Amino acid sequence: MRPLTATIDLAALRHNLEVVRRCAPQARVMAVVKANAYGHGLERTCAALTTADGFAVLGLNEALTLRALGWAKSILLLEGVFDTAELIAAAEHDVAVVVHNDRQVEMLANVELPRPIWVFLKMNSGMNRLGFAPPDYKAIALRLQALDKVANITLMTHFATADETTGIATQMQVFDAASAGLDYPRSLANSAAVLRHAESHADWVRPGIMLYGASPCVDVSAAAFGLRPAMTLRSEIIAVQHLTPGQGVGYGLQFVADKPIKVGVVACGYADGYPRHAPTGTPVAVNGQLTRALGRVSMDMLCVDLTDLPQADVGSAVELWGAQIPVDDVAHAAGTVGYELLCAVAPRVPVEVIE
Ligand SMILES: Cc1ncc(COP(=O)(O)O)c(C=O)c1O
């Protein structure tokens, strides 16, 4: 069998949830498991994180999957519902919904629900993506409060720059001012705010990326935050080539040897989710030793430098990312973020689960 595997470490997921608890001991944790738990597998991730207080997902189908699996605690739909049928199904299955636009408010006002529903009322406090404008927010909260279909309201916003030096102060001010006097629980913090901005923790935190052991911040590594990678992408060398000076390797012969170079060909390419934009120099580990990718990543293979690894040969172990090669470092080299790489691991990659 092709030697590429993604190993999911359930103990690391549990450890990272403990880091969330340590950072935000007063808050309840709505673990963000959208996008197939950031590529880690919804079912297995949720089974590992049963001590979370709730799970946040994107689509109703994910919420219903979790209910079918027996998850009885909170579930939140992060974009809310898209039609009345979804709203009725969400209420029926006790799934909370984000309400972020007028259409969703009207849907709620006009629907007959099997039972009252929990609403996360989202404010656009400055990210300018989803949510009500601050001047309108209070009136909408009061309108929802008056509907007997609304069981509970939680006030919510999302930060644009919690991971950057800009921080969250401006958005916090906007949120606090526009929600002053509304006596409801609050939910503001993503991973970066959990890790860096205790003043935002409030009643429900919504960590995603930190649960998977990657860093939300470009300037601080996951390890420095005490996080452990939940996914390791491993493969093996399947061929070895020896370049003489002037010879190139891979499509476009983008890497050209300026001295004798020993090249290892790794069974992993962009069709597996490895970023095609990873340039020469992207870190890779072979037999536990740090080396670099060479030339262009192709669909099923990529090349690595084995010049200083005389023992390396066909069958040598390769870590593309994991404990030795942080996914954030590969992402950085490829001009993206760990989030994208984790979510993009292809369905064709076999998954192995370890406790
Ligand atoms: C509304 C909302 N809350 C929380 C999160 C989790 O963010 P992170 O993965 O950065 O912790 C996301 C992720 O995109 C989100 O959209």
Side-chain angles (χ1 to χ4, degrees):
M1 198 166 81
R2 193 165 173 255
L4 180 64
T5 327
T7 304
I8 307 299
D9 180 349
L10 304 183
L13 288 168
R14 289 191 290 265
H15 166 84
N16 296 332
L17 177 56
E18 282 313 305
V19 176
V20 176
R21 296 274 186 211
R22 277 206 298 277
C23 291
Q26 312 297 337
R28 278 169 290 172
V29 177
M30 190 72 81
V32 180
V33 293
K34 61 183 172 157
N36 198 27
Y38 290 43
H40 293 66
L42 179 68
E43 195 173 330
R44 69 177 72 93
T45 299
C46 293
L49 297 179
T50 49
T51 60
D53 302 294
F55 291 125
V57 294
L58 192 69
L60 183 67
N61 56 338
E62 298 159 89
L64 298 187
T65 300
L66 292 178
R67 285 287 182 246
L69 289 167
W71 178 252
K73 291 193 259 181
S74 306
I75 301 180
L76 172 63
L77 296 184
L78 283 169
E79 291 181 2
V81 293
F82 296 90
D83 56 48
T84 304
E86 283 196 347
L87 185 54
I88 293 168
E92 200 174 310
H93 293 274
D94 198 15
V95 171
V97 291
V98 165
V99 169
H100 65 83
N101 65 19
D102 292 331
R103 190 160 167 250
Q104 291 172 330
V105 172
E106 291 315 316
M107 242 188 256
L108 253 179
N110 296 312
V111 75
E112 288 277 321
L113 290 182
R115 59 170 132 162
I117 195 162
W118 180 14
V119 167
F120 279 62
L121 183 61
K122 191 160 188 179
M123 187 196 299
N124 170 17
S125 59
M127 186 168 182
N128 295 315
R129 206 173 56 171
L130 299 186
F132 294 99
D136 304 335
Y137 192 70
K138 202 172 280 180
I140 294 162
L142 296 176
R143 180 166 178 213
L144 293 184
Q145 178 185 270
L147 298 175
D148 56 5
K149 286 161 268 194
V150 175
N152 302 296
I153 297 176
T154 296
L155 309 181
M156 173 189 186
T157 197
H158 192 49
F159 297 124
T161 54
D163 53 324
E164 294 173 17
T165 48
T166 318
I168 61 167
T170 305
Q171 280 191 258
M172 283 286 288
Q173 269 164 20
V174 169
F175 182 79
D176 287 345
S179 60
L182 292 175
D183 189 17
Y184 298 109
R186 284 150 199 255
S187 176
L188 317 171
N190 56 2
S191 295
V194 167
L195 291 161
R196 285 185 147 169
H197 302 291
E199 71 278 20
S200 71
H201 290 170
D203 301 284
W204 284 91
V205 291
R206 304 188 309 271
I209 195 71
M210 68 181 291
L211 293 171
Y212 308 101
S215 177
C217 306
V218 281
D219 57 335
V220 184
S221 70
F225 284 128
L227 301 168
R228 280 169 39 193
M231 183 194 290
T232 301
L233 189 63
R234 282 197 189 84
S235 189
E236 288 180 8
I237 303 288
I238 59 166
V240 173
Q241 305 290 343
H242 294 274
L243 305 186
T244 54
Q247 285 188 312
V249 68
Y251 286 117
L253 301 176
Q254 292 277 300
F255 173 80
V256 177
D258 58 358
K259 60 178 187 183
I261 293 277
K262 178 181 172 189
V263 175
V265 181
V266 181
C268 181
Y270 62 77
D272 300 301
Y274 196 88
R276 182 174 177 278
H277 296 292
T280 290
T282 301
V284 181
V286 177
N287 286 342
Q289 270 184 262
L290 184 63
T291 183
R292 57 177 183 150
L294 295 179
R296 267 195 202 144
V297 174
S298 50
M299 188 181 286
D300 312 312
M301 287 168 266
L302 60 92
C303 295
V304 295
D305 190 348
L306 302 181
T307 311
D308 296 328
L309 296 158
Q311 311 299 324
D313 205 344
V314 171
S316 290
V318 178
E319 182 184 298
L320 286 319
W321 60 71
Q324 204 181 356
I325 307 289
V327 68
D328 297 311
D329 291 2
V330 179
H332 182 71
T336 182
V337 286
Y339 296 76
E340 187 181 5
L341 301 192
L342 295 173
C343 291
V345 172
R348 80 178 193 181
V349 178
V351 174
E352 175 195 82
V353 176
I354 55 170
E355 294 289 326

